[in-house]
Amino acid sequence: MVRSLKARGLAGEMAAEFVGTMILILFGCGVVAQVVAAGIGDHDSIAWAWGLGVTLGVYVASRISGAHLNPAVTIALAVFKGFEWRKVAPYALAQTAGAFLAALLVRWNYTEVLNAKDPGLTIKTQGVFSTLPGNGTLPVGDWGAFRDQIIGTAILVLVIFAITDLRNTAPAANLAPVVVGFLVVAIGMAWGTNAGYAINPARDFGPRLASWLTGYDTAFTDQYGFPYWWIPIVAPVIGAVIGGAIYKYLIERHLPADAPLDALPAKDLEPAS
């Protein structure tokens, strides 16, 4: 089941990551805009839309690029699963660009209701696009958010590795995106308080940049006035490596040797030949 990375070329893989991540953010930031600015929906609708956005984004991109849709996942695959390091930066760039464009579309489409809800484009609606400690209102500091993002992303990567490993009890290949989507829903429902479960540097930085360019002057700081933009970038990368290590050394090494060889994310999350 090893798949060649040469057949479609890096440009095709980047295009797939770009569009797949764009789909993810269109649903994710779109639902938050609807809830925050229009008052339609609630926390559960946000969690479900983010999860469904992941599922749909993976279905769009997986055949070509493997649908990482997340630089932290890409780095974990390079560390533990043989994904080529030379492709890490291009994948991350494509993912961030897709998230940026999607956020611009959400910002444009919801211009009227965002301006009505928050004419000054302040931290009151900044969370539509990027995360904040305690979602901008709860008593959580930056280091609490940093800790939270490490834990949440470790859970994400650990379970993704399990879901995509055929030596484990993996779902059928065409159902794996659905299960990954359920995983994101569960993380949102259980780990959304302290930092808004970004668990994805592209998901946070791309929309953060888009919001800053379209009038949100405080986009790169938190409600305390401190620079916050780096936390949803650095902490998820650390968490992804921790989650990958937990799976590799506590689960993968104990799987039956006579089972099918690794169907790791670097294969199901790699391009098809």
Side-chain angles (χ1 to χ4, degrees), residues 1 22 59 62 72 83 99 109 121 145 147 149-150 184 187 193 198 233 238 270:
M1 196 174 164
M22 184 176 69
Y59 275 125
S62 60
F83 186 74
N109 188 62
L121 299 178
R147 174 192 65 227
Q149 286 300 284
I150 290 174
V184 173
I187 291 173
T193 296
I233 295 175
I238 295 171
E270 271 187 18

Side-chain angles (χ1 to χ4, degrees), residues 1-12:
M1 196 174 164
V2 175
R3 298 169 179 175
S4 169
L5 290 174
K6 298 179 180 178
R8 301 184 187 277
L10 180 58

